[in-house]
Amino acid sequence: MQYVIVGIGGQGILFASKVLGKIALERGESVIGSEVHGMAQRGGSVISHFKVGDYRSPLVMAGEADILLAFDQSEAVRNLHFLKKKGSLVVNVHDRKALENASLAGLVRDREINVHSLEGYALLKEHMGGNFLFLNVLLIGAMCGAGISGLSFAEVSRAVKELSPPKFQDANMKVLALGAEAICSGR
Amino acid sequence: MTEVSRTVSTKAILLGNEAIARGIVEAGCLVASAYPGTPSSEILPAVAKFADELGSPMAVEWGVNEKVAFEVAAAASFTGARSCAVMKQVGLNVAADPFMSAAHFQLKGGMLLVVADDPGPHSSQTEQDSRYFAMFAKVPCFDPCSAAEAKEMVFDAFDLSERFGIITMLRPSVRVDHCRQDVELGELRPPKGQVKFEKEPSRWVCLPASVKVNHPRLNAKVEEIRAAFETEFGKYNYEVPSREKSVLGIVASGVCFSVVSDILKEWGREDVAVLKIGTPHPLPVKMVTDFISRHPKVLFLEETYPVMEMQLPDRTGILGRWNGVVPGAGELLPEVIAGILAKILGMDQPSGEGSSLLREALEDLKITPRKPMLCPGCPHRASYFSIRQALPNAVNPSDIGCYTLGVNQKAVDAVVDMGASVTMGSGFFLAHKAAGTERPIVSTIGDSTFFHMGIPGLVSAVYNRHAFVLGILDNSTTAMTGGQANPAVGDKLRKGDEGRKVDIEAVCRGCGVTFVRTIEAYDVAAGKEAVKEAWEHAQSRSEPAVIIFRHPCMLLRPQQPVVQVKVDPEKCIGCKFCINFFNCPGLVFDETRSKAYIDERFCVSCGVCISVCPHGAIAEVSEEGK
């Protein structure tokens, strides 16, 4: 399984690969991935690669990713070439109108991409007092809810819980469920 | 830092840098010193953490710069202790002097030099290849292809260093440093030998007379190590033969080996053989030339300079950088390597950038890569605004750190390397003076960078009477690299270690600066006044003046007043002044309405932008408006 996780520096995308890594370790699977640290982290486009299985390279090659987990809709489009045919996109959308584009729709159709979108900022405003730091857990929940990663909610939930600082554990559990439900209910 | 999750097999998912750190501690290293720099920064904090966990007695410290870190580690090795210095590739430029010199010594304790390279580059001013530096200094170099291998190499590097009495370099590239992989954890090994410095001037004093002995000995060591690399290091240097008759052989070092392995597997190519080289200097030449002789064509893949290629007795028969088959700059990403291979193998060129539909969509939607920028609420943004407002005509040399991103605020005109903001202030002053002209000069430097290499330039400017303003942007951390402590902070890495804070004001006064003013960086009006006053002082007395702009880094999540702001669309005239000169992710422009607005996804309610709008359109949200 090959994941590409994209977003903007500061959105906490590194947490997602930590969760995936923890689950793989418990399953006894090999993992390798690549992260962005340093200057590129400061508010710019960021990307994490994560591969579970028998791989040597930490990087996912264009056209090979099973899942693209996008914390930002523009970054999702910019990195769509990483997805393989019939791959799945989980994307946080903040401006649906801005994504209305014939070429994009054509691409999604041609490549048979499964799109799972949620309005993360609106959800966090409604349920978490607008604390957008929870976006990472929300997106992980959404990926889980989409049922595309082969990971059970219980597994993901346990990993997120163990990796959360104690004071955020309860809130993270709530947000994880929120993300999963958002995808299931198509919001 | 990652929490190590232990399982029965004692495997953990570690960042490459944490794997290297774990190796350093397990190997019984006694002194580890570093200066942070991406992509190496996470190594030393992880060394401290593992040392605490495993109960190692070792010393783990940040040096104020890489030269300091290197020399600290080198002297420890003179006593017989295993020691280690860690830095990024351009850090080794700073430590080049002791590195070149100590390479000639017959060391006592094993000395490991970890230098992290940044092909791309992602966070550096060059993408130089430190393996070249190893070749220059004539020391052996290990080039790991993964986090797990990097950890393993640490043990062999220490052993090799002790066996030959030579510094050994471990050169991870960014994809190894920042790769996350399952890695085997071991226990602490007891330190080798004993710490005892024996006086022996011919060994420890680098007089020219000693070089006459040391240099030939060094040359002999290189050949002995080369012979060892030919035969003893099969776990790092090995062939992955082709199953079918080979049409191509690939010699790959470092992470290029990992990338090419996955591509060949994905493509199902059984007719390509790979020779993996983990010790590119000194190159096991026999092994490589034998491989070359057995394949019709041979491609060399390595980052970022042709280090292996250069060591071949004859490279005219191979495909590599010398004949332009492999690009001479940039990272060898999977898409780049796939393109090279497809061309050689006569396959269809894979399209790395995606289809024409995607290109059209990106164009229509105006989506471009987001450039790095100062964080919302960053105090540097406020400092730069003050500086620009006070002296719009000034030349603004700057330095290496987050604040280099002040280019977005049009407040950074020239950056060269660590500390050059101060010395460029001198250079700009002298050129104008000699030409009989004058222009205000306001340099900017961070707190950690000031200690790293800013002080010598400041002393020189005081001595020579150079008129410029130096703004020290003190955010109480080494921010760009992830928030490490420095002398201005005073904290140390190991549990129980206590450091002492070094006062920047006192240092400046001690250097002879007579104008030293500290201000709150968020106070734009005070900043503006201070800059004007400082320049008048500098100009009238022909000497440097210092302003310390102080406010904690946002990454430290400081407790500060929440000032919720809004843009009044009635007052905003769409002049984009705030966008062009303040440039905050939380303050953006709606092109259709031609108005600025607050993007609440990013705004942290620092309130600084209120004083930015010349039309008073940005204001605090009133109590009832919240």
Side-chain angles (χ1 to χ4, degrees), chain A residues 85-100:
Chain A
K85 204 164 181 182
K86 297 189 180 171
S88 297
L89 167 68
V90 179
V91 56
N92 170 36
V93 174
H94 65 270
D95 185 357
R96 271 192 202 278
K97 238 178 121 74
L99 282 185
E100 286 169 10

Side-chain angles (χ1 to χ4, degrees), chain A residues 31-35 39 42-43 45 51 54 56-57 62 64 77 81 94 98 101 103 107 121 125 132, chain B residues 13 15 123 175 178-182 262 265-266 335 352 355 360 364-365 370 372-373 479-480 600-601:
Chain A
V31 303
I32 191 156
S34 177
E35 302 177 350
M39 183 190 265
R42 300 284 165 266
S45 303
K51 296 154 94 172
D54 185 20
R56 282 182 184 277
S57 162
E64 304 284 344
V77 181
H81 61 288
H94 65 270
N101 176 271
S103 306
L107 181 75
Y121 295 112
K125 260 178 111 166
F132 299 145
Chain B
I13 307 264
L15 204 58
S123 290
R175 297 298 179 183
H178 293 157
C179 104
R180 197 170 278 285
Q181 191 184 19
D182 47 317
D262 277 7
K265 192 177 165 194
E266 177 66 34
E335 294 77 17
S355 66
E360 280 164 30
D364 293 350
L365 299 172
R370 248 180 106 99
M373 56 206 313
M480 178 63 90
E600 57 179 15
R601 292 179 301 154

Side-chain angles (χ1 to χ4, degrees), chain B residues 303-332:
Chain B
E303 283 179 324
T304 47
Y305 289 10
V307 170
M308 294 193 296
E309 251 181 80
M310 296 273 291
Q311 293 176 78
L312 293 175
D314 174 14
R315 58 175 172 154
T316 52
I318 61 118
L319 306 169
R321 287 209 166 81
W322 79 275
N323 49 8
V325 173
V326 179
E331 189 178 8
L332 294 181

Side-chain angles (χ1 to χ4, degrees), chain B residues 36 58 233 361:
Chain B
M58 70 187 295
F233 288 82

